[in-house]
């Protein structure tokens, strides 16, 4: 069944060279409104470059990028307005160390959206409450944990009311607890506010929760599908030297030894259920 939802982003034959180095070699990808997608692929495969092109932090060498059906490469694009609709969170915390948490969240509202201080602060406090950091409003970033810093960064992006949020390994520097808090936040934004999320990550527990996965290798998209579809192709993923969820690997090993398990088992719970189903047939 084809999904009738509108495409927020459509990438067509996208190319990017750095000098003679071809980093994106013709990428086609469509992300629908309200989707949460993950991009995976070996280091150096072009994931960050792809996302940086979406936000025009890099200028593509060829191809096109449509945002709600309109090319963002057109000459008369208003870059500031576009970037407001398109939030970006990076691996390294992009906070101003010399500003308090509250000021970090209000700065976009005040400088870009020209919203008066009092109103911006009211909005920022609501957002800090949502990310569970109300009590840290007057603190400076150096006093926060990594997970807290990323949640402040996300609150700053949310303040701008983006339609789409792009996250480049936002949890790479975090401990498991911090990772969880950031991903919960992103999920909440996606499910409750309908914000489209594009996430680069190599953590399998984050990957298997996506609506769809895009797999990149050497500047090209080589696989695309739901987590179940993508992780049904264990051999192909191994060839690409990509991680696979532990339960998927175990199920694959068992299959190879003749145990009739279905493809695309993603977690322990599914594996246990399938094994119990087999036992009940014995
Ligand atoms: P990934 O995020 O998948 O690890 P990147 O998009 O960061 O991959 O990088 C893809 C390739 O492009 C790498 O070989 C990297 O060295 C190169 N690259 C990225 N940015 C630049 C740049 N600004 N100048 C030159 N080469 C770059
Ligand atoms: Mg990268």
């Amino acid at each position: 069944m084809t999904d009738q939802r509108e495409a927020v982003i459509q990438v067509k034959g996208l190319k990017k060279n750095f000098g003679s180095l071809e980093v994106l070699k013709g990428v086609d990808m469509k992300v629908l409104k309200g989707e949460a997608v993950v991009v995976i692929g070996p280091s150096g495969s072009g994931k960050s470059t792809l996302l940086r092109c979406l936000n025009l932090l890099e200028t593509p060498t060829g191809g096109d990028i449509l945002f709600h059906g309109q090319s963002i490469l057109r000459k008369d694009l208003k870059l500031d307005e576009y970037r407001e609709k398109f939030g970006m969170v990076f691996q390294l915390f992009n906070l101003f160390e010399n500003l308090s948490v509250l000021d970090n969240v209000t700065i976009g509202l005040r400088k870009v959206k020209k919203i008066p201080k009092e109103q911006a602060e009211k909005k920022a406090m609501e957002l800090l409450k949502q990310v569970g950091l109300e009590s840290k409003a007057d603190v400076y970033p150096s006093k926060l944990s990594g997970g807290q810093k990323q949640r402040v960064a996300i609150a700053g992006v949310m303040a701008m009311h983006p339609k789409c949020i792009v996250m480049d390994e936002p949890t790479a520097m975090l401990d498991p607890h911090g990772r969880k808090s950031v991903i919960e936040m992103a999920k909440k934004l996606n499910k409750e506010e309908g914000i489209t999320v594009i996430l680069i990550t190599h953590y399998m527990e984050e990957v298997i929760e996506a609506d769809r996965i895009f797999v990149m290798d050497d500047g090209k998209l080589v696989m695309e599908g739901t987590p179940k579809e993508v992780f049904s192709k264990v051999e192909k993923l191994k060839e690409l030297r990509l991680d696979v969820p532990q339960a998927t690997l175990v199920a694959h090993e068992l299959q190879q030894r003749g145990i009739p398990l279905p493809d695309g088992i993603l977690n322990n719970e599914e594996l246990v259920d399938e094994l119990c189903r087999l036992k009940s047939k014995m």
Side-chain angles (χ1 to χ4, degrees):
M1 202 177 75
T2 53
D3 198 319
Q4 297 299 319
R5 277 182 293 177
E6 178 193 0
V8 173
I9 288 163
Q10 192 169 1
V11 174
K12 292 180 169 177
L14 191 69
K15 293 191 177 162
K16 175 66 186 174
N17 300 350
F18 289 110
S20 60
L21 182 69
E22 275 185 85
V23 174
L24 298 179
K25 301 177 180 176
V27 173
D28 293 283
M29 132 190 228
K30 204 176 189 178
V31 180
L32 305 178
K33 197 169 174 195
E35 263 194 315
V37 304
V38 161
V39 182
I40 58 175
S43 177
S45 57
K47 305 180 297 293
S48 294
T49 304
L50 171 64
L51 263 56
R52 291 170 61 82
C53 284
L54 296 184
N55 202 14
L56 292 178
L57 290 171
E58 300 288 357
T59 310
T61 310
D64 204 355
I65 301 171
L66 309 184
F67 183 71
H68 288 284
Q70 284 213 307
S71 173
I72 61 165
L73 301 179
R74 64 184 192 272
K75 291 267 180 308
D76 62 345
L77 178 89
K78 296 203 171 64
L79 191 58
D80 288 350
E81 280 179 23
Y82 174 65
R83 288 225 180 105
E84 275 178 45
K85 295 183 193 134
F86 208 110
M88 186 126 182
V89 180
F90 300 91
Q91 173 174 350
L92 290 169
F93 321 115
N94 41 339
L95 297 182
F96 297 101
E97 293 290 331
N98 58 334
L99 296 182
S100 70
V101 163
L102 184 66
D103 290 342
N104 264 287
V105 180
T106 56
I107 191 163
L109 286 173
R110 294 178 57 198
K111 301 270 183 247
V112 181
K113 294 217 167 178
K114 313 283 183 213
I115 289 176
K117 185 169 190 274
E118 208 171 308
Q119 202 181 328
E121 289 186 348
K122 190 163 168 259
K123 173 84 191 160
M125 284 310 292
E126 280 168 25
L127 290 165
L128 285 173
K129 200 169 166 183
Q130 272 191 50
V131 298
L133 290 173
E134 216 184 352
S135 64
K136 303 284 184 193
D138 298 325
V139 163
Y140 285 82
S142 61
K143 295 281 184 315
L144 299 178
S145 71
Q148 290 171 332
K149 283 187 197 179
Q150 279 306 49
R151 274 143 61 202
V152 172
I154 294 172
V157 169
M158 281 162 63
M160 307 302 283
H161 263 291
K163 297 208 185 315
C164 181
I165 170 168
V166 169
M167 306 171 98
D168 190 349
E169 304 200 38
T171 61
M173 314 285 281
L174 308 181
D175 61 18
H177 177 76
R179 288 214 298 274
K180 206 161 174 213
S181 70
V182 168
I183 292 303
E184 288 300 316
M185 196 59 239
K187 268 166 64 183
K188 194 166 156 211
L189 284 180
N190 175 251
K191 296 282 170 270
E192 291 176 14
E193 320 236 348
I195 295 175
T196 305
V197 175
I198 305 177
L199 169 71
I200 299 178
T201 182
H202 60 265
Y203 292 108
M204 286 301 126
E205 70 268 29
E206 298 170 11
V207 175
I208 61 171
E209 295 209 37
D211 294 326
R212 274 189 312 140
I213 301 174
F214 294 96
V215 184
M216 288 199 67
D217 186 43
D218 192 25
K220 293 184 290 258
L221 266 187
V222 291
M223 284 169 90
E224 147 179 14
T226 63
K228 227 174 215 356
E229 287 162 354
V230 168
F231 289 115
S232 290
K233 305 200 173 87
V234 175
E235 292 303 326
K236 171 122 196 232
L237 294 166
K238 277 193 190 163
E239 268 169 39
L240 295 171
R241 302 172 313 282
L242 285 176
D243 274 347
V244 174
Q246 195 61 36
T248 312
L249 267 186
V250 172
H252 185 69
E253 289 277 314
L254 291 170
Q255 270 183 335
Q256 291 194 319
R257 294 190 187 198
I259 302 194
L261 288 168
D263 283 333
I265 286 178
L266 297 176
N267 55 39
N268 292 346
E269 208 181 348
E270 285 180 25
L271 179 57
V272 169
D273 282 352
E274 291 297 341
L275 288 171
C276 289
R277 207 187 317 265
L278 285 178
K279 180 167 177 280
S280 69
K281 285 190 201 150
M282 272 161 57

